[in-house]
Amino acid sequence: MTAADDVRRDILDTVRTPAADLTPLLLATMPAALRLTPAELALVDLEPIARHAATTLRSELARPERQEGDWTIIGFQQSGCCQDCAELATFLADPVRKQHIWPMAKPRREHIHRRCDDAELPVTHQTRREGSPHKLVLTKTAEVFRRDAERRTAAKVERDTVERFLQAIGADPS
């Protein structure tokens, strides 16, 4: 085994981790890759990445569709930020709760406002200026359902595209 083989193996191990969703990168490179000669395509060797993308997309599509009334929001990275972010993550993960009213001082409210905006969460956040401290009102929006439906549709298109790519390079898409 050569040093290049070791580097290639390390790269493939990295891109195959669940956190590394390189499907958009793969989809962007596929048109250029398909213009390569078979020998050049063999050198690039996108097949392992394409197989990983296909498997990831199939797994995503195998999960049940969101049910009416399921308000779960996944994907918020609290990253051990603070207790407020942990409470936000708990609220977001709750499939039943649509609203959270949270008494908190201005700096903490601003922090949660920023985290919601930065994460582009489908949640409205407003300050109710009554009592002391004021209350932060978080409300999950119907955007949760729209985004989920759009993502499923996109995942189907992406899966089909990756499978066609695998066929085009002579690999079994299954």
Side-chain angles (χ1 to χ4, degrees):
M1 185 168 284
T2 68
D5 291 331
D6 289 341
V7 170
R8 182 175 180 283
R9 186 193 68 246
D10 289 347
I11 291 169
L12 289 175
D13 287 347
T14 300
V15 300
R16 288 180 181 143
T17 62
D21 180 11
L22 298 181
T23 304
L25 176 62
L26 174 67
L27 291 167
T29 61
M30 285 187 318
L34 289 173
R35 290 192 298 269
L36 299 174
T37 67
E40 291 169 327
L41 193 54
L43 284 173
V44 175
D45 194 15
L46 290 175
E47 183 179 341
I49 297 171
R51 286 192 177 290
H52 175 68
T55 299
T56 301
L57 291 163
R58 286 186 203 116
S59 295
E60 181 178 341
L61 291 167
R63 289 194 299 265
E65 290 188 40
R66 180 182 294 273
Q67 298 298 306
E68 187 176 326
D70 177 2
W71 290 95
T72 305
I73 298 173
I74 59 170
F76 174 70
Q77 302 297 320
Q78 69 176 3
S79 304
C81 177
C82 63
Q83 186 56 42
D84 289 337
C85 285
E87 187 170 339
L88 173 60
T90 300
F91 165 65
L92 295 173
D94 189 313
V96 178
R97 288 185 61 209
K98 187 177 173 186
Q99 189 172 71
H100 185 51
I101 300 174
W102 203 351
M104 55 189 352
K106 185 176 182 178
R108 291 173 55 212
R109 285 195 316 269
E110 288 175 346
H111 173 67
I112 296 301
H113 279 285
R114 263 192 318 279
R115 292 299 309 270
C116 290
D117 289 343
D118 291 348
E120 298 179 359
L121 295 173
V123 172
T124 61
H125 43 91
Q126 299 173 326
T127 300
R128 189 180 293 163
R129 301 191 189 298
E130 59 185 42
S132 181
H134 293 328
K135 293 168 183 66
L136 177 62
V137 180
L138 302 175
T139 307
K140 296 175 185 174
T141 68
E143 180 78 3
V144 169
F145 299 96
R146 188 190 66 74
R147 286 183 187 181
D148 195 62
E150 280 183 2
R151 178 62 208 141
R152 284 190 77 78
T153 299
K156 288 175 186 174
V157 170
E158 291 167 358
R159 178 208 54 210
D160 294 347
T161 302
V162 171
E163 287 177 352
R164 280 193 307 274
F165 175 76
L166 285 164
Q167 287 175 334
I169 64 172
D172 180 9
S174 54

mmCIF file of all heavy atoms in Angstrom, residues 32-78:
data_model
loop_
_atom_site.group_PDB
_atom_site.id
_atom_site.type_symbol
_atom_site.label_atom_id
_atom_site.label_comp_id
_atom_site.label_asym_id
_atom_site.label_seq_id
_atom_site.Cartn_x
_atom_site.Cartn_y
_atom_site.Cartn_z
ATOM 1 N N ALA A 32 -19.340 17.357 -14.621
ATOM 2 C CA ALA A 32 -17.947 17.433 -15.085
ATOM 3 C C ALA A 32 -17.322 16.045 -15.118
ATOM 4 O O ALA A 32 -16.583 15.715 -16.054
ATOM 5 C CB ALA A 32 -17.141 18.357 -14.185
ATOM 6 N N ALA A 33 -17.624 15.236 -14.130
ATOM 7 C CA ALA A 33 -17.045 13.889 -14.073
ATOM 8 C C ALA A 33 -17.504 13.050 -15.259
ATOM 9 O O ALA A 33 -16.721 12.265 -15.810
ATOM 10 C CB ALA A 33 -17.427 13.207 -12.763
ATOM 11 N N LEU A 34 -18.734 13.239 -15.674
ATOM 12 C CA LEU A 34 -19.255 12.439 -16.786
ATOM 13 C C LEU A 34 -18.655 12.845 -18.134
ATOM 14 O O LEU A 34 -18.802 12.121 -19.111
ATOM 15 C CB LEU A 34 -20.781 12.514 -16.818
ATOM 16 C CG LEU A 34 -21.463 11.752 -15.675
ATOM 17 C CD1 LEU A 34 -22.957 12.023 -15.668
ATOM 18 C CD2 LEU A 34 -21.176 10.259 -15.758
ATOM 19 N N ARG A 35 -17.982 13.991 -18.178
ATOM 20 C CA ARG A 35 -17.309 14.407 -19.418
ATOM 21 C C ARG A 35 -15.893 13.820 -19.517
ATOM 22 O O ARG A 35 -15.227 13.972 -20.541
ATOM 23 C CB ARG A 35 -17.254 15.930 -19.506
ATOM 24 C CG ARG A 35 -18.622 16.562 -19.747
ATOM 25 C CD ARG A 35 -18.521 18.034 -20.111
ATOM 26 N NE ARG A 35 -17.939 18.851 -19.062
ATOM 27 C CZ ARG A 35 -18.619 19.465 -18.096
ATOM 28 N NH1 ARG A 35 -19.926 19.330 -18.033
ATOM 29 N NH2 ARG A 35 -18.003 20.195 -17.195
ATOM 30 N N LEU A 36 -15.434 13.176 -18.451
ATOM 31 C CA LEU A 36 -14.096 12.592 -18.450
ATOM 32 C C LEU A 36 -14.062 11.308 -19.261
ATOM 33 O O LEU A 36 -15.087 10.642 -19.441
ATOM 34 C CB LEU A 36 -13.656 12.283 -17.005
ATOM 35 C CG LEU A 36 -13.553 13.470 -16.055
ATOM 36 C CD1 LEU A 36 -13.251 12.975 -14.641
ATOM 37 C CD2 LEU A 36 -12.496 14.461 -16.511
ATOM 38 N N THR A 37 -12.890 10.971 -19.707
ATOM 39 C CA THR A 37 -12.715 9.672 -20.366
ATOM 40 C C THR A 37 -12.819 8.594 -19.294
ATOM 41 O O THR A 37 -12.648 8.869 -18.098
ATOM 42 C CB THR A 37 -11.329 9.579 -21.042
ATOM 43 O OG1 THR A 37 -10.333 9.572 -20.004
ATOM 44 C CG2 THR A 37 -11.094 10.719 -22.018
ATOM 45 N N PRO A 38 -13.084 7.350 -19.687
ATOM 46 C CA PRO A 38 -13.147 6.277 -18.692
ATOM 47 C C PRO A 38 -11.868 6.175 -17.848
ATOM 48 O O PRO A 38 -11.935 5.944 -16.641
ATOM 49 C CB PRO A 38 -13.368 5.013 -19.532
ATOM 50 C CG PRO A 38 -14.091 5.517 -20.740
ATOM 51 C CD PRO A 38 -13.507 6.876 -21.016
ATOM 52 N N ALA A 39 -10.698 6.379 -18.459
ATOM 53 C CA ALA A 39 -9.440 6.298 -17.713
ATOM 54 C C ALA A 39 -9.351 7.432 -16.688
ATOM 55 O O ALA A 39 -8.923 7.217 -15.545
ATOM 56 C CB ALA A 39 -8.252 6.348 -18.670
ATOM 57 N N GLU A 40 -9.760 8.659 -17.087
ATOM 58 C CA GLU A 40 -9.729 9.784 -16.166
ATOM 59 C C GLU A 40 -10.743 9.586 -15.033
ATOM 60 O O GLU A 40 -10.453 9.869 -13.869
ATOM 61 C CB GLU A 40 -10.044 11.089 -16.910
ATOM 62 C CG GLU A 40 -8.960 11.519 -17.888
ATOM 63 C CD GLU A 40 -9.419 12.649 -18.794
ATOM 64 O OE1 GLU A 40 -10.618 12.710 -19.156
ATOM 65 O OE2 GLU A 40 -8.564 13.485 -19.139
ATOM 66 N N LEU A 41 -11.896 9.076 -15.394
ATOM 67 C CA LEU A 41 -12.932 8.818 -14.405
ATOM 68 C C LEU A 41 -12.464 7.778 -13.386
ATOM 69 O O LEU A 41 -12.727 7.905 -12.182
ATOM 70 C CB LEU A 41 -14.224 8.347 -15.094
ATOM 71 C CG LEU A 41 -15.491 8.311 -14.265
ATOM 72 C CD1 LEU A 41 -15.762 9.646 -13.593
ATOM 73 C CD2 LEU A 41 -16.667 7.919 -15.143
ATOM 74 N N ALA A 42 -11.735 6.782 -13.855
ATOM 75 C CA ALA A 42 -11.187 5.765 -12.954
ATOM 76 C C ALA A 42 -10.197 6.395 -11.975
ATOM 77 O O ALA A 42 -10.140 6.012 -10.805
ATOM 78 C CB ALA A 42 -10.526 4.646 -13.742
ATOM 79 N N LEU A 43 -9.417 7.366 -12.444
ATOM 80 C CA LEU A 43 -8.461 8.046 -11.560
ATOM 81 C C LEU A 43 -9.182 8.852 -10.479
ATOM 82 O O LEU A 43 -8.758 8.885 -9.322
ATOM 83 C CB LEU A 43 -7.545 8.972 -12.357
ATOM 84 C CG LEU A 43 -6.430 8.303 -13.153
ATOM 85 C CD1 LEU A 43 -5.719 9.334 -14.023
ATOM 86 C CD2 LEU A 43 -5.442 7.622 -12.220
ATOM 87 N N VAL A 44 -10.249 9.522 -10.866
ATOM 88 C CA VAL A 44 -11.007 10.328 -9.914
ATOM 89 C C VAL A 44 -11.708 9.421 -8.902
ATOM 90 O O VAL A 44 -11.767 9.729 -7.712
ATOM 91 C CB VAL A 44 -12.027 11.232 -10.650
ATOM 92 C CG1 VAL A 44 -12.892 11.987 -9.673
ATOM 93 C CG2 VAL A 44 -11.314 12.184 -11.585
ATOM 94 N N ASP A 45 -12.246 8.312 -9.378
ATOM 95 C CA ASP A 45 -12.888 7.287 -8.547
ATOM 96 C C ASP A 45 -13.936 7.857 -7.594
ATOM 97 O O ASP A 45 -13.791 7.804 -6.367
ATOM 98 C CB ASP A 45 -11.835 6.486 -7.772
ATOM 99 C CG ASP A 45 -12.445 5.204 -7.177
ATOM 100 O OD1 ASP A 45 -13.556 4.811 -7.600
ATOM 101 O OD2 ASP A 45 -11.811 4.625 -6.286
ATOM 102 N N LEU A 46 -14.996 8.391 -8.176
ATOM 103 C CA LEU A 46 -16.092 8.926 -7.376
ATOM 104 C C LEU A 46 -17.077 7.845 -6.926
ATOM 105 O O LEU A 46 -17.989 8.132 -6.152
ATOM 106 C CB LEU A 46 -16.840 10.001 -8.170
ATOM 107 C CG LEU A 46 -16.094 11.305 -8.394
ATOM 108 C CD1 LEU A 46 -16.905 12.228 -9.300
ATOM 109 C CD2 LEU A 46 -15.785 11.988 -7.085
ATOM 110 N N GLU A 47 -16.886 6.634 -7.382
ATOM 111 C CA GLU A 47 -17.853 5.584 -7.059
ATOM 112 C C GLU A 47 -18.073 5.400 -5.556
ATOM 113 O O GLU A 47 -19.235 5.348 -5.122
ATOM 114 C CB GLU A 47 -17.449 4.252 -7.695
ATOM 115 C CG GLU A 47 -18.478 3.165 -7.431
ATOM 116 C CD GLU A 47 -18.127 1.826 -8.068
ATOM 117 O OE1 GLU A 47 -17.290 1.782 -8.995
ATOM 118 O OE2 GLU A 47 -18.709 0.829 -7.629
ATOM 119 N N PRO A 48 -17.024 5.335 -4.720
ATOM 120 C CA PRO A 48 -17.300 5.151 -3.284
ATOM 121 C C PRO A 48 -18.106 6.295 -2.677
ATOM 122 O O PRO A 48 -18.980 6.074 -1.830
ATOM 123 C CB PRO A 48 -15.905 5.071 -2.651
ATOM 124 C CG PRO A 48 -14.982 4.711 -3.763
ATOM 125 C CD PRO A 48 -15.581 5.294 -5.003
ATOM 126 N N ILE A 49 -17.829 7.505 -3.123
ATOM 127 C CA ILE A 49 -18.579 8.654 -2.601
ATOM 128 C C ILE A 49 -20.019 8.599 -3.112
ATOM 129 O O ILE A 49 -20.966 8.856 -2.366
ATOM 130 C CB ILE A 49 -17.886 9.976 -2.980
ATOM 131 C CG1 ILE A 49 -16.503 10.032 -2.319
ATOM 132 C CG2 ILE A 49 -18.732 11.188 -2.572
ATOM 133 C CD1 ILE A 49 -15.630 11.166 -2.784
ATOM 134 N N ALA A 50 -20.194 8.237 -4.375
ATOM 135 C CA ALA A 50 -21.546 8.125 -4.940
ATOM 136 C C ALA A 50 -22.332 7.022 -4.233
ATOM 137 O O ALA A 50 -23.518 7.193 -3.936
ATOM 138 C CB ALA A 50 -21.468 7.856 -6.438
ATOM 139 N N ARG A 51 -21.690 5.907 -3.946
ATOM 140 C CA ARG A 51 -22.368 4.822 -3.217
ATOM 141 C C ARG A 51 -22.789 5.285 -1.826
ATOM 142 O O ARG A 51 -23.890 4.990 -1.362
ATOM 143 C CB ARG A 51 -21.468 3.601 -3.107
ATOM 144 C CG ARG A 51 -21.331 2.845 -4.383
ATOM 145 C CD ARG A 51 -20.659 1.482 -4.136
ATOM 146 N NE ARG A 51 -20.602 0.752 -5.373
ATOM 147 C CZ ARG A 51 -21.645 0.237 -6.009
ATOM 148 N NH1 ARG A 51 -22.845 0.379 -5.502
ATOM 149 N NH2 ARG A 51 -21.502 -0.401 -7.144
ATOM 150 N N HIS A 52 -21.889 6.012 -1.163
ATOM 151 C CA HIS A 52 -22.213 6.529 0.174
ATOM 152 C C HIS A 52 -23.400 7.496 0.092
ATOM 153 O O HIS A 52 -24.322 7.435 0.911
ATOM 154 C CB HIS A 52 -20.995 7.224 0.785
ATOM 155 C CG HIS A 52 -21.278 7.874 2.098
ATOM 156 N ND1 HIS A 52 -21.564 7.162 3.237
ATOM 157 C CD2 HIS A 52 -21.341 9.186 2.457
ATOM 158 C CE1 HIS A 52 -21.780 7.997 4.234
ATOM 159 N NE2 HIS A 52 -21.658 9.230 3.785
ATOM 160 N N ALA A 53 -23.379 8.378 -0.901
ATOM 161 C CA ALA A 53 -24.485 9.330 -1.070
ATOM 162 C C ALA A 53 -25.792 8.585 -1.339
ATOM 163 O O ALA A 53 -26.834 8.923 -0.764
ATOM 164 C CB ALA A 53 -24.181 10.304 -2.202
ATOM 165 N N ALA A 54 -25.752 7.573 -2.196
ATOM 166 C CA ALA A 54 -26.962 6.807 -2.501
ATOM 167 C C ALA A 54 -27.501 6.121 -1.247
ATOM 168 O O ALA A 54 -28.710 6.138 -0.980
ATOM 169 C CB ALA A 54 -26.674 5.781 -3.595
ATOM 170 N N THR A 55 -26.618 5.543 -0.470
ATOM 171 C CA THR A 55 -27.031 4.868 0.769
ATOM 172 C C THR A 55 -27.636 5.863 1.747
ATOM 173 O O THR A 55 -28.681 5.600 2.360
ATOM 174 C CB THR A 55 -25.824 4.152 1.421
ATOM 175 O OG1 THR A 55 -25.334 3.180 0.495
ATOM 176 C CG2 THR A 55 -26.204 3.482 2.725
ATOM 177 N N THR A 56 -26.999 7.017 1.896
ATOM 178 C CA THR A 56 -27.501 8.060 2.805
ATOM 179 C C THR A 56 -28.885 8.523 2.370
ATOM 180 O O THR A 56 -29.800 8.658 3.194
ATOM 181 C CB THR A 56 -26.522 9.251 2.838
ATOM 182 O OG1 THR A 56 -25.245 8.776 3.277
ATOM 183 C CG2 THR A 56 -27.007 10.357 3.748
ATOM 184 N N LEU A 57 -29.058 8.762 1.069
ATOM 185 C CA LEU A 57 -30.352 9.235 0.564
ATOM 186 C C LEU A 57 -31.434 8.163 0.708
ATOM 187 O O LEU A 57 -32.569 8.471 1.076
ATOM 188 C CB LEU A 57 -30.212 9.685 -0.888
ATOM 189 C CG LEU A 57 -29.385 10.965 -1.064
ATOM 190 C CD1 LEU A 57 -28.939 11.134 -2.511
ATOM 191 C CD2 LEU A 57 -30.175 12.178 -0.580
ATOM 192 N N ARG A 58 -31.093 6.925 0.443
ATOM 193 C CA ARG A 58 -32.069 5.833 0.623
ATOM 194 C C ARG A 58 -32.496 5.735 2.085
ATOM 195 O O ARG A 58 -33.681 5.523 2.372
ATOM 196 C CB ARG A 58 -31.484 4.515 0.139
ATOM 197 C CG ARG A 58 -31.411 4.401 -1.356
ATOM 198 C CD ARG A 58 -30.944 3.002 -1.784
ATOM 199 N NE ARG A 58 -30.374 3.057 -3.108
ATOM 200 C CZ ARG A 58 -29.104 2.796 -3.403
ATOM 201 N NH1 ARG A 58 -28.257 2.398 -2.472
ATOM 202 N NH2 ARG A 58 -28.675 2.898 -4.640
ATOM 203 N N SER A 59 -31.543 5.867 2.987
ATOM 204 C CA SER A 59 -31.865 5.813 4.427
ATOM 205 C C SER A 59 -32.779 6.963 4.818
ATOM 206 O O SER A 59 -33.733 6.784 5.586
ATOM 207 C CB SER A 59 -30.589 5.871 5.261
ATOM 208 O OG SER A 59 -29.814 4.733 5.046
ATOM 209 N N GLU A 60 -32.479 8.137 4.298
ATOM 210 C CA GLU A 60 -33.319 9.302 4.592
ATOM 211 C C GLU A 60 -34.746 9.075 4.109
ATOM 212 O O GLU A 60 -35.707 9.367 4.812
ATOM 213 C CB GLU A 60 -32.724 10.542 3.921
ATOM 214 C CG GLU A 60 -33.489 11.813 4.180
ATOM 215 C CD GLU A 60 -32.858 13.038 3.533
ATOM 216 O OE1 GLU A 60 -31.664 13.020 3.187
ATOM 217 O OE2 GLU A 60 -33.593 14.034 3.367
ATOM 218 N N LEU A 61 -34.874 8.532 2.916
ATOM 219 C CA LEU A 61 -36.202 8.310 2.349
ATOM 220 C C LEU A 61 -36.922 7.128 2.985
ATOM 221 O O LEU A 61 -38.154 7.033 2.900
ATOM 222 C CB LEU A 61 -36.095 8.122 0.833
ATOM 223 C CG LEU A 61 -35.708 9.396 0.086
ATOM 224 C CD1 LEU A 61 -35.321 9.082 -1.348
ATOM 225 C CD2 LEU A 61 -36.836 10.415 0.146
ATOM 226 N N ALA A 62 -36.193 6.239 3.639
ATOM 227 C CA ALA A 62 -36.815 5.092 4.306
ATOM 228 C C ALA A 62 -37.485 5.505 5.617
ATOM 229 O O ALA A 62 -38.358 4.786 6.114
ATOM 230 C CB ALA A 62 -35.768 4.010 4.568
ATOM 231 N N ARG A 63 -37.078 6.646 6.166
ATOM 232 C CA ARG A 63 -37.724 7.116 7.392
ATOM 233 C C ARG A 63 -39.163 7.494 7.076
ATOM 234 O O ARG A 63 -39.471 7.991 5.985
ATOM 235 C CB ARG A 63 -36.980 8.326 7.965
ATOM 236 C CG ARG A 63 -35.636 7.968 8.563
ATOM 237 C CD ARG A 63 -35.079 9.095 9.408
ATOM 238 N NE ARG A 63 -34.853 10.330 8.692
ATOM 239 C CZ ARG A 63 -33.689 10.692 8.150
ATOM 240 N NH1 ARG A 63 -32.642 9.915 8.234
ATOM 241 N NH2 ARG A 63 -33.575 11.842 7.524
ATOM 242 N N PRO A 64 -40.047 7.286 8.025
ATOM 243 C CA PRO A 64 -41.455 7.617 7.768
ATOM 244 C C PRO A 64 -41.639 9.108 7.510
ATOM 245 O O PRO A 64 -40.891 9.937 8.046
ATOM 246 C CB PRO A 64 -42.179 7.209 9.053
ATOM 247 C CG PRO A 64 -41.162 6.666 9.977
ATOM 248 C CD PRO A 64 -39.816 6.753 9.345
ATOM 249 N N GLU A 65 -42.635 9.422 6.696
ATOM 250 C CA GLU A 65 -42.946 10.827 6.436
ATOM 251 C C GLU A 65 -43.486 11.459 7.713
ATOM 252 O O GLU A 65 -44.070 10.786 8.557
ATOM 253 C CB GLU A 65 -43.988 10.939 5.317
ATOM 254 C CG GLU A 65 -43.433 10.545 3.972
ATOM 255 C CD GLU A 65 -44.403 10.836 2.838
ATOM 256 O OE1 GLU A 65 -45.055 11.903 2.867
ATOM 257 O OE2 GLU A 65 -44.491 9.997 1.936
ATOM 258 N N ARG A 66 -43.272 12.760 7.816
ATOM 259 C CA ARG A 66 -43.766 13.501 8.991
ATOM 260 C C ARG A 66 -45.287 13.375 9.047
ATOM 261 O O ARG A 66 -45.986 13.577 8.052
ATOM 262 C CB ARG A 66 -43.370 14.972 8.873
ATOM 263 C CG ARG A 66 -43.835 15.813 10.061
ATOM 264 C CD ARG A 66 -43.470 17.267 9.884
ATOM 265 N NE ARG A 66 -42.036 17.469 9.905
ATOM 266 C CZ ARG A 66 -41.319 17.664 11.004
ATOM 267 N NH1 ARG A 66 -41.906 17.653 12.180
ATOM 268 N NH2 ARG A 66 -40.025 17.858 10.923
ATOM 269 N N GLN A 67 -45.783 13.054 10.218
ATOM 270 C CA GLN A 67 -47.217 12.946 10.430
ATOM 271 C C GLN A 67 -47.809 14.308 10.775
ATOM 272 O O GLN A 67 -47.128 15.157 11.360
ATOM 273 C CB GLN A 67 -47.516 11.958 11.572
ATOM 274 C CG GLN A 67 -47.051 10.548 11.287
ATOM 275 C CD GLN A 67 -47.748 9.953 10.077
ATOM 276 O OE1 GLN A 67 -48.976 9.928 10.009
ATOM 277 N NE2 GLN A 67 -46.973 9.494 9.105
ATOM 278 N N GLU A 68 -49.064 14.486 10.428
ATOM 279 C CA GLU A 68 -49.756 15.717 10.794
ATOM 280 C C GLU A 68 -49.714 15.849 12.315
ATOM 281 O O GLU A 68 -49.963 14.886 13.032
ATOM 282 C CB GLU A 68 -51.207 15.660 10.307
ATOM 283 C CG GLU A 68 -51.959 16.944 10.491
ATOM 284 C CD GLU A 68 -53.357 16.870 9.914
ATOM 285 O OE1 GLU A 68 -53.554 16.193 8.903
ATOM 286 O OE2 GLU A 68 -54.245 17.493 10.507
ATOM 287 N N GLY A 69 -49.363 17.025 12.784
ATOM 288 C CA GLY A 69 -49.290 17.251 14.222
ATOM 289 C C GLY A 69 -47.937 16.936 14.839
ATOM 290 O O GLY A 69 -47.751 17.123 16.036
ATOM 291 N N ASP A 70 -46.981 16.455 14.041
ATOM 292 C CA ASP A 70 -45.624 16.205 14.552
ATOM 293 C C ASP A 70 -44.798 17.470 14.358
ATOM 294 O O ASP A 70 -44.365 17.780 13.260
ATOM 295 C CB ASP A 70 -44.984 15.030 13.812
ATOM 296 C CG ASP A 70 -43.542 14.778 14.242
ATOM 297 O OD1 ASP A 70 -43.041 15.494 15.138
ATOM 298 O OD2 ASP A 70 -42.907 13.880 13.667
ATOM 299 N N TRP A 71 -44.569 18.171 15.437
ATOM 300 C CA TRP A 71 -43.888 19.461 15.394
ATOM 301 C C TRP A 71 -42.400 19.351 15.688
ATOM 302 O O TRP A 71 -41.735 20.354 15.958
ATOM 303 C CB TRP A 71 -44.552 20.436 16.367
ATOM 304 C CG TRP A 71 -45.907 20.843 15.897
ATOM 305 C CD1 TRP A 71 -47.100 20.291 16.253
ATOM 306 C CD2 TRP A 71 -46.201 21.853 14.944
ATOM 307 N NE1 TRP A 71 -48.122 20.905 15.583
ATOM 308 C CE2 TRP A 71 -47.598 21.880 14.770
ATOM 309 C CE3 TRP A 71 -45.424 22.745 14.217
ATOM 310 C CZ2 TRP A 71 -48.230 22.761 13.910
ATOM 311 C CZ3 TRP A 71 -46.058 23.637 13.355
ATOM 312 C CH2 TRP A 71 -47.438 23.635 13.207
ATOM 313 N N THR A 72 -41.852 18.160 15.632
ATOM 314 C CA THR A 72 -40.435 17.959 15.908
ATOM 315 C C THR A 72 -39.573 18.745 14.931
ATOM 316 O O THR A 72 -39.801 18.709 13.722
ATOM 317 C CB THR A 72 -40.070 16.465 15.775
ATOM 318 O OG1 THR A 72 -40.928 15.713 16.615
ATOM 319 C CG2 THR A 72 -38.627 16.209 16.150
ATOM 320 N N ILE A 73 -38.581 19.442 15.465
ATOM 321 C CA ILE A 73 -37.587 20.117 14.631
ATOM 322 C C ILE A 73 -36.241 19.521 15.015
ATOM 323 O O ILE A 73 -35.814 19.612 16.168
ATOM 324 C CB ILE A 73 -37.588 21.645 14.857
ATOM 325 C CG1 ILE A 73 -38.938 22.239 14.476
ATOM 326 C CG2 ILE A 73 -36.453 22.306 14.082
ATOM 327 C CD1 ILE A 73 -39.105 23.717 14.812
ATOM 328 N N ILE A 74 -35.610 18.885 14.035
ATOM 329 C CA ILE A 74 -34.316 18.267 14.304
ATOM 330 C C ILE A 74 -33.220 19.086 13.642
ATOM 331 O O ILE A 74 -33.484 19.928 12.795
ATOM 332 C CB ILE A 74 -34.270 16.801 13.793
ATOM 333 C CG1 ILE A 74 -34.548 16.756 12.285
ATOM 334 C CG2 ILE A 74 -35.236 15.934 14.556
ATOM 335 C CD1 ILE A 74 -34.283 15.409 11.655
ATOM 336 N N GLY A 75 -32.002 18.813 14.053
ATOM 337 C CA GLY A 75 -30.867 19.444 13.398
ATOM 338 C C GLY A 75 -30.303 20.658 14.106
ATOM 339 O O GLY A 75 -29.278 21.186 13.688
ATOM 340 N N PHE A 76 -30.933 21.126 15.174
ATOM 341 C CA PHE A 76 -30.382 22.268 15.897
ATOM 342 C C PHE A 76 -29.158 21.796 16.660
ATOM 343 O O PHE A 76 -29.222 20.843 17.430
ATOM 344 C CB PHE A 76 -31.407 22.867 16.858
ATOM 345 C CG PHE A 76 -30.852 23.960 17.734
ATOM 346 C CD1 PHE A 76 -30.514 25.186 17.188
ATOM 347 C CD2 PHE A 76 -30.654 23.768 19.090
ATOM 348 C CE1 PHE A 76 -29.996 26.206 17.982
ATOM 349 C CE2 PHE A 76 -30.143 24.772 19.890
ATOM 350 C CZ PHE A 76 -29.807 25.993 19.331
ATOM 351 N N GLN A 77 -28.050 22.461 16.446
ATOM 352 C CA GLN A 77 -26.798 22.092 17.108
ATOM 353 C C GLN A 77 -26.600 22.973 18.331
ATOM 354 O O GLN A 77 -26.208 24.120 18.205
ATOM 355 C CB GLN A 77 -25.621 22.257 16.135
ATOM 356 C CG GLN A 77 -25.740 21.438 14.871
ATOM 357 C CD GLN A 77 -25.744 19.940 15.150
ATOM 358 O OE1 GLN A 77 -25.001 19.462 15.989
ATOM 359 N NE2 GLN A 77 -26.580 19.219 14.450
ATOM 360 N N GLN A 78 -26.873 22.412 19.498
ATOM 361 C CA GLN A 78 -26.668 23.206 20.717
ATOM 362 C C GLN A 78 -25.203 23.233 21.105
ATOM 363 O O GLN A 78 -24.739 24.169 21.731
ATOM 364 C CB GLN A 78 -27.520 22.691 21.863
ATOM 365 C CG GLN A 78 -27.089 21.345 22.393
ATOM 366 C CD GLN A 78 -27.912 20.937 23.595
ATOM 367 O OE1 GLN A 78 -28.830 21.630 24.006
ATOM 368 N NE2 GLN A 78 -27.593 19.808 24.162
#
